[in-house]
Amino acid sequence: MSRLLGGTLERVCKAVLLLCLLHFLVAVILYFDVYAQHLAFFSRFSARSPARVLHPAASSSTNCSRPNATAPSSGLPEVPSARPGPTVPVLPPCPDLPPGLVGRLLIEFTSPMPLERVQRENPGVLLGGRYTPPDCTPAQTVAVIIPFRHREHHLRYWLHYLHPILRRQRLRYGIYVINQHGEDTFNRAKLLNVGFLEALKEDAAYDCFIFSDVDLVPMDDRNLYRCGDQPRHFAIAMDKFGFRLPYAGYFGGVSGLSKAQFLRINGFPNEYWGWGGEDDDIFNRISLTGMKISRPDIRIGRYRMIKHDRDKHNEPNPQRFTKIQNTKLTMKRDGIGSVRYQVLEVSRQPLFTNITVDIGRPPSWPPRG
């Protein structure tokens, strides 16, 4: 009996020993298998790194030798680089009352005034007399129209004073000198019509038009050259009239109308040859269309006039009083829609644009008895 139990126990122990040995062999096999997988995994990364390090020159040598060469395609779609373009700064609106205004100005016409000096004083003015404020966006684009002939001396003083004034007023503007060709009788209002049309041909953005005689200079830069809800008369107090209006309906010297207002009155009359009458006709046109004239305070609406000899070709129009009385009958047929002229030359000077025009000849008037 004891021998039987001893033999059985021996066989059980051998079986257990064999089972443990088998378990040990399986564990060893699994261990080496996992180790091999890990080794292969890390070998892939260690194999890639040297490839990138060993051949940097080879990948860049093509670009160095051939600046415009195309790199070999990798088969993947190219993604364009997102490079932000230059941004245009958005400027704030120009203030209604510019902060750099001086107020009352000392105006004198005795110092020599060459155009070269005026040009040096206004470096920001572009060719043709154009200017835009660099620090704000104006609400209007202003065309300043000057009827002109044989007044170069006056023009130099006008440019000397007006360019700094207009720049301080933060205006976007252009200066147009409308030069009447020939020696026939002067026609101020017709030249102003021409200036309106020619300025719009150059820049359709003009929406405010200032019509100024070349011999009138404002004495206060707070007299803002802008257009408003109503036509504007700027030169309300000239030194030659004792700094007061010569009469209630006076609209001469310097005035301003928006594009819509100018078209509403059919522009200015074309038939006033010689001195006087056209400004009264314009006053009548404004009144007949239901508009009212606005004026600055008399303290800032003062002007000095550059003295000059009267042009022998700008004598008073003998028929002006008759024409003024018939504005209601003539304004529809005589105006911006009927103006006829020929442009002879357009010259863009550093401080202004000169437009020389042939506006025809006046009709023959019967001699006064």
Side-chain angles (χ1 to χ4, degrees), residues 48-111:
R48 287 181 186 176
S49 299
R52 287 201 299 262
V53 175
L54 287 174
H55 304 286
S59 63
S60 61
S61 60
T62 303
N63 292 334
C64 292
S65 60
R66 298 172 58 193
N68 297 323
T70 302
S73 174
S74 63
L76 298 176
E78 295 183 2
V79 179
S81 59
R83 295 181 180 178
T87 57
V88 179
V90 178
L91 299 178
C94 293
D96 292 335
L97 186 62
L101 298 180
V102 177
R104 292 290 297 274
L105 304 171
L106 176 63
I107 307 297
E108 57 89 17
F109 307 117
T110 57
S111 302

Side-chain angles (χ1 to χ4, degrees), residues 125-199:
V125 177
L126 303 179
L127 187 68
R130 302 295 299 269
Y131 178 78
T132 300
D135 56 352
C136 63
T137 302
Q140 300 177 344
T141 303
V142 181
V144 184
I145 312 297
I146 302 174
F148 185 84
R149 185 171 63 182
H150 304 325
R151 295 286 181 85
E152 288 78 8
H153 175 70
H154 298 160
L155 180 61
R156 290 194 293 269
Y157 282 109
W158 190 95
L159 295 169
H160 166 68
Y161 286 111
L162 265 296
H163 268 303
I165 290 175
L166 300 178
R167 289 192 292 111
R168 289 197 298 270
Q169 293 181 358
R170 297 293 197 275
L171 298 180
R172 177 171 52 224
Y173 67 88
I175 306 295
Y176 296 88
V177 175
I178 313 302
N179 179 39
Q180 180 174 334
H181 175 71
E183 300 297 330
D184 285 313
T185 305
F186 196 68
N187 191 324
R188 176 180 181 268
K190 191 172 184 178
L191 292 173
L192 296 178
N193 279 340
V194 172
F196 176 86
L197 294 173
E198 291 301 312

Side-chain angles (χ1 to χ4, degrees), residues 70-304:
T70 302
S73 174
S74 63
L76 298 176
E78 295 183 2
V79 179
S81 59
R83 295 181 180 178
T87 57
V88 179
V90 178
L91 299 178
C94 293
D96 292 335
L97 186 62
L101 298 180
V102 177
R104 292 290 297 274
L105 304 171
L106 176 63
I107 307 297
E108 57 89 17
F109 307 117
T110 57
S111 302
M113 196 57 61
L115 280 177
E116 293 77 12
R117 171 185 168 182
V118 183
Q119 187 175 352
R120 288 195 305 269
E121 294 170 344
N122 298 277
V125 177
L126 303 179
L127 187 68
R130 302 295 299 269
Y131 178 78
T132 300
D135 56 352
C136 63
T137 302
Q140 300 177 344
T141 303
V142 181
V144 184
I145 312 297
I146 302 174
F148 185 84
R149 185 171 63 182
H150 304 325
R151 295 286 181 85
E152 288 78 8
H153 175 70
H154 298 160
L155 180 61
R156 290 194 293 269
Y157 282 109
W158 190 95
L159 295 169
H160 166 68
Y161 286 111
L162 265 296
H163 268 303
I165 290 175
L166 300 178
R167 289 192 292 111
R168 289 197 298 270
Q169 293 181 358
R170 297 293 197 275
L171 298 180
R172 177 171 52 224
Y173 67 88
I175 306 295
Y176 296 88
V177 175
I178 313 302
N179 179 39
Q180 180 174 334
H181 175 71
E183 300 297 330
D184 285 313
T185 305
F186 196 68
N187 191 324
R188 176 180 181 268
K190 191 172 184 178
L191 292 173
L192 296 178
N193 279 340
V194 172
F196 176 86
L197 294 173
E198 291 301 312
L200 285 175
K201 287 181 183 179
E202 181 174 278
D203 190 346
Y206 284 123
D207 52 5
C208 176
F209 295 83
I210 307 297
F211 305 97
S212 175
D213 289 345
V214 73
D215 56 0
L216 287 176
V217 175
M219 301 176 65
D220 197 310
D221 61 2
R222 293 172 296 177
N223 193 0
L224 302 177
Y225 275 29
R226 300 174 183 167
C227 294
D229 296 335
Q230 302 293 334
R232 184 82 163 171
H233 185 213
F234 297 95
I236 63 170
M238 299 185 210
D239 55 354
K240 75 168 186 175
F241 296 137
F243 293 111
R244 63 174 60 91
L245 281 174
Y247 51 91
Y250 182 70
F251 196 67
V254 185
S255 58
L257 293 89
S258 69
K259 180 181 178 181
Q261 293 163 358
F262 189 86
L263 295 175
R264 184 175 176 181
I265 65 172
N266 192 25
F268 297 160
N270 299 305
E271 299 179 358
Y272 283 84
W273 297 86
W275 177 81
E278 81 286 344
D279 47 355
D280 298 309
D281 192 296
I282 297 167
F283 177 87
N284 290 343
R285 291 174 181 235
I286 293 171
S287 301
L288 289 169
T289 53
M291 294 186 288
K292 296 183 179 180
I293 294 172
S294 66
R295 295 185 173 94
D297 188 284
I298 195 169
R299 291 172 295 180
I300 64 174
R302 297 187 171 203
Y303 280 75
R304 282 205 64 188

